[in-house]
Amino acid sequence: MHPIQIFQSYEKQLTSKPEDYNYCPSCGTVLEKLSSSSERQRCNDCGWIRYLNPLPGVVVLITEEDRILLGKRGKSSFAADKWCIPGGFIEHEENFLTAGIREVYEETGLKIKVESILSVVSNFLSQDLHTLVIVLHAKIIEGVPEPRDDLYDLEWFSFKAPLPEMAFEADKHIIKRFFLTEPQGAPVDPNFSS
């Protein structure tokens, strides 16, 4: 099975973007387009530029023999009531390994050891939500899975059985590829793995 790393969930062009700002969030001046061919906005007074970057995230594939731990997304979440690999956005002060460990603890109550980096994927989820997600593989070192934060259910699913309704196409691919090809992944910095 070949890796897939680009996933698009809506029909708009990849260049679509959220609505323009009217005023600079830094100084309040009316914003203008950087150039006629650019989608970026710029403040002519303070130089602030609105970059339309994808949001950085991390998901953590937690496995036990031929099973994977999945969480059901809360009612206020994007793709509510569907299942996903635990994870979330990387905070400004975090590295991606620390973010993965934190997100898993917040959503499942588990302490983990990150084993490897499996992939990196781009998700074009909606016009307002594009993400760049690092996929990690981890093992549990302590705790019992308990749904928390924005997950309201956690279950172990066997790779041999059909997956539940998944929130993200990327998650389905990641799970299937992991169990079919058993990739070793790239090693992680041991100073930040747990």
Side-chain angles (χ1 to χ4, degrees):
M1 179 175 194
H2 298 290
I4 298 174
Q5 293 157 325
I6 312 297
F7 298 89
Q8 186 167 346
S9 301
Y10 68 102
E11 297 299 321
K12 307 264 188 214
Q13 294 179 353
L14 293 181
T15 57
S16 64
K17 61 174 186 58
E19 284 190 36
D20 288 338
Y21 286 6
N22 291 320
Y23 301 97
C24 175
S26 182
C27 72
T29 300
V30 174
L31 290 172
E32 297 180 11
K33 293 280 188 196
L34 196 57
S35 70
S36 60
S37 64
S38 174
E39 295 300 322
R40 292 190 181 132
Q41 293 176 282
R42 177 190 171 133
C43 176
N44 288 329
D45 282 0
C46 73
W48 179 87
I49 297 174
R50 180 181 184 202
Y51 292 99
L52 300 174
N53 298 331
L55 298 171
V58 61
V59 295
V60 184
L61 199 69
I62 302 168
T63 60
E64 189 175 85
E65 298 173 6
D66 73 338
R67 303 184 311 163
I68 178 164
L69 185 65
L70 297 177
K72 199 165 195 179
R73 298 174 64 77
K75 303 285 185 204
S76 62
S77 298
F78 182 87
D81 296 321
K82 295 182 181 178
W83 294 86
C84 67
I85 299 171
F89 294 112
I90 301 169
E91 300 293 340
H92 181 74
E93 69 281 356
E94 290 179 310
N95 63 66
F96 69 95
L97 294 169
T98 302
I101 293 164
R102 175 190 52 78
E103 282 288 348
V104 167
Y105 184 74
E106 286 177 0
E107 293 184 343
T108 70
L110 297 171
K111 293 186 179 178
I112 58 169
K113 180 175 187 218
V114 178
E115 303 278 314
S116 62
I117 303 166
L118 296 176
S119 191
V120 175
V121 297
S122 285
N123 296 296
F124 298 93
L125 300 170
S126 74
Q127 184 171 336
D128 297 332
L129 184 57
H130 294 182
T131 64
L132 179 68
V133 177
I134 301 163
V135 182
L136 305 174
H137 177 234
K139 298 287 185 182
I140 297 171
I141 55 174
E142 186 180 315
V144 175
E146 176 186 336
R148 302 175 356 172
D149 196 28
D150 56 355
L151 299 180
Y152 70 89
D153 195 6
L154 286 172
E155 285 187 36
W156 288 101
F157 290 89
S158 171
F159 166 69
K160 296 173 185 169
L163 289 173
E165 186 178 8
M166 299 295 291
F168 307 108
E169 190 66 30
D171 286 7
K172 289 193 293 190
H173 175 77
I174 290 161
I175 294 165
K176 184 175 181 182
R177 183 170 175 264
F178 179 82
F179 285 106
L180 286 178
T181 64
E182 297 181 20
Q184 296 302 307
V188 297
D189 185 334
N191 295 315
F192 297 97
S193 66
S194 59

